[in-house]
Amino acid sequence: MYKRILLKLSGEALMGDQKFGIAPEVVARMADEIQDVHRLGVQIAVVVGGGNIIRGVSAAAQGLDRVAADHMGLLATVINGLALQDALEKRGVRTRLMSAVEVRQIAEPFIRRRAIRHLEKDRIVIFAAGTGNPFFTTDTAAALRALEIGADAILMAKHAVEGVLDGDPRIDAKAKLITEITHREAIERGLKVMDTTALSLCMDNNLPIHVFALADGNIRRVVLGEHVGTLVSTPREG
């Protein structure tokens, strides 16, 4: 169904059953899943969050300077990107880790044309350090990078969430899964698809978003056209 995708993974998904950090067995399963989809001939770019290590907003709420806290969060995504790169390379998958902040000894600087060329050469590209700026989430980075590389869709693999719900399951036990919704409806209803900046970017550029649970086989199912979780899209006029 899709030739080129942007896969957004939450940092929390890397924790597994731990309360903090990276669970190697979870990263290994992710790498297996990504490799499986890559073998289908799909070009894959990945953005990983850093919430398993530190969240800038949470750290700022505890008294840390917001800009400093966000910079720490950006570096956390580089750590997670390295973990995923290592797991993929061990499986013989060629990868490139590209960072929006300068860490040349560890990752390439993000250059749009170079990133596209890597994808065309059948390499998996991992985008780290968000947009490189404080006050922007990795959701926004995912939307921005997806548009820059001309991805056909964003696939958001969530930790312990089956898709977009019509309420907060922590408050409303009867919250139900929404299978399809438009970008505008998601924004107006304040649903937790991704942050409003990212959602607006996708809406303005008619970029579909698939939100689903990070479970075995789900990424492959979405790529092959099966309806899994929630589809957020804007119907084309006419």
Side-chain angles (χ1 to χ4, degrees), residues 178-198:
I178 300 171
T179 56
E180 288 192 37
I181 193 170
T182 67
H183 296 98
R184 186 173 299 280
E185 287 172 335
I187 293 171
E188 290 173 349
R189 293 173 62 177
L191 298 175
K192 294 183 178 180
V193 180
M194 50 173 48
D195 70 74
T196 307
T197 303

Side-chain angles (χ1 to χ4, degrees), residues 9-167:
L9 299 171
S10 66
E12 288 89 341
L14 302 182
M15 296 189 299
D17 296 327
Q18 302 174 174
K19 294 183 178 180
F20 175 84
I22 298 170
E25 71 279 5
V26 174
V27 180
R29 287 202 304 271
M30 283 185 184
D32 287 336
E33 181 99 358
I34 293 169
Q35 181 185 36
D36 182 48
V37 175
H38 189 243
R39 284 172 175 163
L40 297 174
V42 180
Q43 296 177 6
I44 304 174
V46 185
V47 169
V48 189
N52 57 317
I53 298 173
I54 185 171
R55 277 186 175 278
V57 173
S58 301
Q62 295 173 22
L64 204 63
D65 176 76
R66 175 61 192 273
V67 175
D70 279 355
H71 284 160
M72 292 166 69
L74 295 181
L75 293 176
T77 70
V78 177
I79 294 172
N80 287 340
L82 283 167
L84 183 59
Q85 181 183 41
D86 177 66
L88 287 166
E89 293 278 352
K90 284 178 178 175
R91 286 155 177 76
V93 181
R94 294 182 301 160
T95 67
R96 289 294 185 273
L97 178 64
M98 305 189 86
S99 172
V101 296
E102 291 275 350
V103 282
R104 287 182 179 271
Q105 291 90 338
I106 298 172
E108 294 182 16
F110 170 71
I111 298 172
R112 174 179 172 268
R113 290 182 180 275
R114 184 176 291 175
I116 292 172
R117 188 64 180 140
H118 286 323
L119 291 168
E120 291 172 344
K121 288 186 174 182
D122 209 30
R123 296 166 182 153
I124 289 177
V125 180
I126 303 167
F127 295 124
T131 66
N133 302 293
F135 302 103
F136 289 93
T137 67
T138 50
D139 283 350
T140 300
L144 180 62
R145 295 290 180 252
L147 292 170
E148 286 179 309
I149 65 172
D152 300 315
I154 294 177
L155 275 61
M156 297 193 70
K158 293 283 191 178
H159 177 57
V161 179
E162 58 180 334
V164 180
L165 306 179
D166 61 4

Side-chain angles (χ1 to χ4, degrees), residues 210-230:
H210 293 268
V211 186
F212 54 92
L214 182 60
D216 290 348
N218 273 356
I219 300 172
R220 181 187 179 94
R221 292 187 188 102
V222 173
V223 167
L224 292 177
E226 188 176 332
H227 194 102
V228 181
T230 304

